[in-house]
Amino acid sequence: MAFETIDRDVSDTRKHAPGIGLALGGGMARGFVHIGVLNVLNRHGIIPSVVAGTSIGAVVAGSYLAGKLSDLQDWSLSLNRMKIISYLDFRMRSGGLIGGNKLQILLDRYFKDIMIEDLPQPLITVATDLRTGHEVWLRKGSLIDAMKASFALPGVFPPVMRNHRLLADGALVNPLPIAACQAMGARMTIAVDLNADIIGKASKTGDNYQAAAGLDMLNEMEAPKEPSYFGDSWLTRKVLRREENSPSLFGVMVSALGIMQDRLTRARIAGDPPDIHIKPQIGHIGLLEFDKASELIAEGERAAVKALPEIRDAMRVFLPPNE
């Protein structure tokens, strides 16, 4: 798989010992698991020297290194289905159905003017070059732009232009950026895989289609008599509503993305295995169920606590105290 960095100066002047690399995988709403994992690592004094993230993993990684992890956790726990819809601004003439202006306001509130090179440890966010298909590593510049490029799911969010490259969701090429940590000199890598719970996916009960948290509420709501935050457009309702006992447009897109991420993650792990592979049991939670943050964070903490003995053993081998 070809990859490249589009930052002209890829040297890193920050002083950091080659230690732990933390790779946070993509998985949309399931990415709230990363918050729980980081909470446990912080409590036990396990601090990564480099962090790489794809898609939602890039958002959590950037929040962590910018000192905003608690803000992200508070915001995630405040989400319900109506609030999820309130952040969406639908566009039909752009590179994605969701324009992203409301999310931009939210990102500006916490990350405005923060540059990647000013973070205390190196950060790599993974994106995809839509023209060449190359895996692109973003290591410098605006933190917000790097996050947006990494989670710009094609068809949903518009791509981001960076250094004359049109960039989209990094999960299209690398859902779990272990290689980025290794390339930055990490002596051991911890990978948090959001696509490993095959049993949870197989045992999920209920409807046999992918629900879209928040958006599926439109099927239970009357057509609005007055303009509202999700619009009074006939086309918007036709696109977002689904036929009874059928998947929605978003549901089909997300299910296809989930299959792709699952298969690609397995292939990338086979080529670049991590030293510690954390696999939260979250297959029963849909990729768009952002209103389940509490359950996801709790599962992240459970999975991290379970992995602590293995992490400690690996640190003794790869990071001996006398070096």
Side-chain angles (χ1 to χ4, degrees):
M1 177 68 68
F3 74 88
E4 57 191 296
T5 175
I6 62 174
D7 305 311
R8 293 183 179 180
D9 178 11
V10 298
S11 63
D12 201 316
T13 59
R14 285 166 292 189
K15 301 298 182 183
H16 63 282
I20 299 172
L22 179 63
L24 302 182
M28 300 182 74
R30 292 175 183 165
F32 291 147
V33 158
H34 296 318
I35 298 174
V37 171
L38 284 165
N39 285 342
V40 170
L41 296 182
N42 283 341
R43 285 200 297 267
H44 290 268
I46 301 170
I47 308 301
S49 61
V50 58
V51 186
T54 295
S55 197
I56 185 66
V59 175
V60 179
S63 300
Y64 167 67
L65 292 179
K68 306 290 186 180
L69 189 64
S70 61
D71 292 320
L72 178 63
Q73 178 167 325
D74 291 343
W75 175 79
S76 69
L77 292 173
S78 74
L79 292 176
N80 54 44
R81 295 193 169 195
M82 293 298 292
K83 192 168 183 178
I84 292 167
I85 294 179
S86 74
Y87 284 113
L88 308 182
D89 50 341
F90 299 108
R91 302 276 182 87
M92 299 300 171
R93 295 185 179 181
S94 66
L97 285 174
I98 299 172
N101 290 336
K102 295 180 181 179
L103 289 176
Q104 180 70 45
I105 293 171
L106 182 66
L107 291 171
D108 284 342
R109 183 191 308 169
Y110 296 106
F111 305 106
K112 188 175 183 180
D113 299 327
I114 296 179
M115 306 297 283
I116 295 176
E117 51 267 43
D118 295 331
L119 299 174
Q121 284 89 31
L123 168 69
I124 299 173
T125 69
V126 178
T128 302
D129 186 321
L130 282 180
R131 185 178 66 86
T132 65
H134 285 180
E135 177 180 342
V136 175
W137 295 355
L138 301 174
R139 297 184 50 206
K140 292 184 180 295
S142 165
L143 177 58
I144 290 177
D145 287 350
M147 289 177 175
K148 288 175 63 179
S150 191
F151 72 65
L153 180 62
V156 179
F157 294 107
V160 174
M161 183 66 71
R162 174 82 175 264
N163 288 2
H164 308 292
R165 305 288 182 89
L166 199 59
L167 303 179
D169 198 323
L172 297 174
V173 290
N174 190 354
L176 190 57
I178 301 164
C181 294
Q182 296 170 340
M184 287 291 291
R187 297 183 63 173
M188 65 171 280
T189 54
I190 300 172
V192 185
D193 184 357
L194 304 182
N195 300 292
D197 183 16
I198 302 301
I199 301 302
K201 295 171 187 174
S203 62
K204 185 172 182 178
T205 59
D207 295 330
N208 59 356
Y209 52 80
Q210 174 70 51
L215 298 177
D216 264 14
M217 278 181 35
L218 296 177
N219 290 291
E220 287 81 45
M221 297 173 68
E222 297 279 342
K225 296 182 175 59
E226 300 293 337
S228 65
Y229 43 69
F230 59 83
D232 191 21
S233 159
W234 173 86
L235 182 57
T236 298
R237 294 198 301 275
K238 291 291 287 185
V239 167
L240 296 177
R241 292 171 67 89
R242 57 176 172 77
E243 299 295 330
E244 187 176 358
N245 297 322
S246 297
S248 66
L249 172 88
F250 275 78
V252 171
M253 292 173 61
V254 170
S255 292
L257 176 67
I259 293 169
M260 182 195 72
Q261 285 189 159
D262 176 44
R263 296 297 185 264
L264 188 53
T265 298
R266 293 195 220 179
R268 295 303 296 253
I269 287 176
D272 298 302
D275 299 298
I276 306 296
H277 188 186
I278 298 178
K279 299 180 282 188
Q281 302 301 294
I282 52 175
H284 62 288
I285 297 178
L287 295 177
L288 288 172
E289 293 184 293
F290 288 94
D291 53 339
K292 294 191 176 181
S294 179
E295 181 180 351
L296 288 162
I297 293 170
E299 174 55 26
E301 294 194 352
R302 188 206 65 79
V305 168
K306 182 180 179 181
L308 279 175
E310 188 179 2
I311 294 173
R312 295 292 190 193
D313 289 343
M315 291 174 67
R316 282 191 285 270
V317 172
F318 294 106
L319 308 173
N322 59 342
E323 289 192 9

